[in-house]
Amino acid sequence: MRRVRISRNHMAAVPLAAIALTAVAPGAAAADDDPVQLPSIRSVLLSDEDCTKPSTTVAEARPWTRSALSLTPSWRLSQGQDVLVAVVDTGVDPEAPALAGRVEAVGDAADDCAGHGSFAAGLIAAAPQPGTGVAGLAPEARILAVRGTDARGYSTGSSLAEAIRTSADRGAKVIYVARAVLDGRDVLTDAVAYAMDHDALVVAPVAPDLAPQDEDTGQDDPTARPYFPAFIPQVVSVVDTGPKGGRPENAPEPFAPDLSAPGDGVVSIGPGGTGHFIGSGSSMAAAQVAGSAALVRARYPELTAAQTADQLQQTAYPSDVPRLDPYAALSSVGGPGSGPTDGVRRQEAVAPPKAVSQTPRNRALVLAAGAFVLVALLAAAVVVVPRGRARRWRASGT
């Protein structure tokens, strides 16, 4: 198996359109000055395409997202221990080494033909492995794989709604939905409400990874429009950004996203083996937010799903679309009763200092007072004594 190094500088220079999720050709990645190839992960497969084959290339260096998301300091505060994150997608490979022992699959969700679900699960919860810098945000979280698509990766509003309900029933605290669809608003709204009633936070991409085609012209139509479940108020909707803050040309325009997160030119695991893939799109960014939600819910289990959503948004870095900041979300916590619209925050409580003895202070005050009196007497002497001598004052009786 070939091992490669992927530098942040190179990733910034990669034409991101060439590594889009739906690109047929492999995506370009690189080591410092030696171009290499990582296969692109696919959202869907055509009817005559084979299942995604395991990658034979291991990315050795840390991807640009590790530093962009401040994962090292964040992991000192939380690693998402035991938080159950549902991945509503194409399935998740439970044998992936970086997820070993932490994947529970519902029905046939252990079979991930397209590979997108395994890739997203890796972004959320892949544990660091020897010889690679690739890891997920919450490496101690557990994954619940729930098929929200057919075997090729195609989904409907109804299939996503059913998967969201199943995720909530299975006890997921965070539900990552990989798809953005135009149909099923009513059933998805009901499903999201059901999840919130079960204290499960739903995170979804604000738009699909590939612009839909116009029915009349057959051309890609990136026009901003509401997609579901992202447009439902209780859902945290996410748009992707790249290493330089931009997005690929002709990417679907976002419609009122809540957060932005790294999603272009990101590296993760795939189905089968220990190799890595590369991908782009808002579905990747949403996976980063889902992983961050797992970190917060592990560190602050008293927060509800709504308060967790508020925490992620209120601590985001200010921008046109607020940028996800996992470390900030972990180092402060919402006030009691805060919700998505409260905007109430407080810094983590700091233990007050122990009472300090007043004895040294009192002594200092006495010494200061004595010194003041002495200085006053000397000043008076400087004025009075010369005058007395000039007037030939004498002591009484002399």
Side-chain angles (χ1 to χ4, degrees), residues 67-141:
S67 57
L69 292 170
S70 302
L71 292 193
T72 299
S74 296
W75 287 341
R76 299 190 188 106
L77 301 177
S78 173
Q79 295 191 24
Q81 184 176 14
D82 290 333
V83 174
L84 185 62
V85 181
V87 175
V88 176
D89 205 340
T90 59
V92 177
D93 179 7
E95 302 301 321
L99 298 172
R102 293 184 291 126
V103 178
E104 173 190 348
V106 177
D108 57 359
D111 180 15
D112 185 13
C113 178
H116 189 279
S118 298
F119 187 95
L123 291 175
I124 295 168
Q129 299 294 295
T132 177
V134 177
L137 272 89
E140 293 184 0

Side-chain angles (χ1 to χ4, degrees), residues 146-241:
V146 184
R147 182 73 69 75
T149 70
D150 63 16
R152 317 301 293 178
Y154 293 93
S155 60
T156 65
S158 295
S159 68
L160 296 177
E162 182 180 355
I164 290 171
R165 288 178 174 272
T166 298
S167 301
D169 287 338
R170 293 296 187 105
K173 290 302 180 184
V174 180
I175 302 176
Y176 161 74
V177 180
R179 295 294 187 266
V181 297
L182 293 171
D183 69 300
R185 177 173 187 166
D186 291 341
V187 292
L188 283 168
T189 298
D190 290 343
V192 169
Y194 185 83
M196 294 297 285
D197 288 343
H198 286 70
D199 194 31
L201 175 62
V202 180
V203 180
V206 73
D209 296 325
L210 183 70
Q213 288 187 339
D214 184 277
E215 293 182 358
D216 296 327
T217 66
Q219 301 297 314
D220 290 346
D221 181 8
T223 304
R225 70 196 73 185
Y227 286 94
F228 300 95
F231 191 63
I232 298 167
Q234 294 87 352
V235 175
V236 178
S237 63
V238 188
V239 67
D240 55 304
T241 60

Side-chain angles (χ1 to χ4, degrees), residues 10-11 34 37 47 370:
H10 175 86
M11 288 307 304
D34 178 25
Q37 295 287 322
S47 59

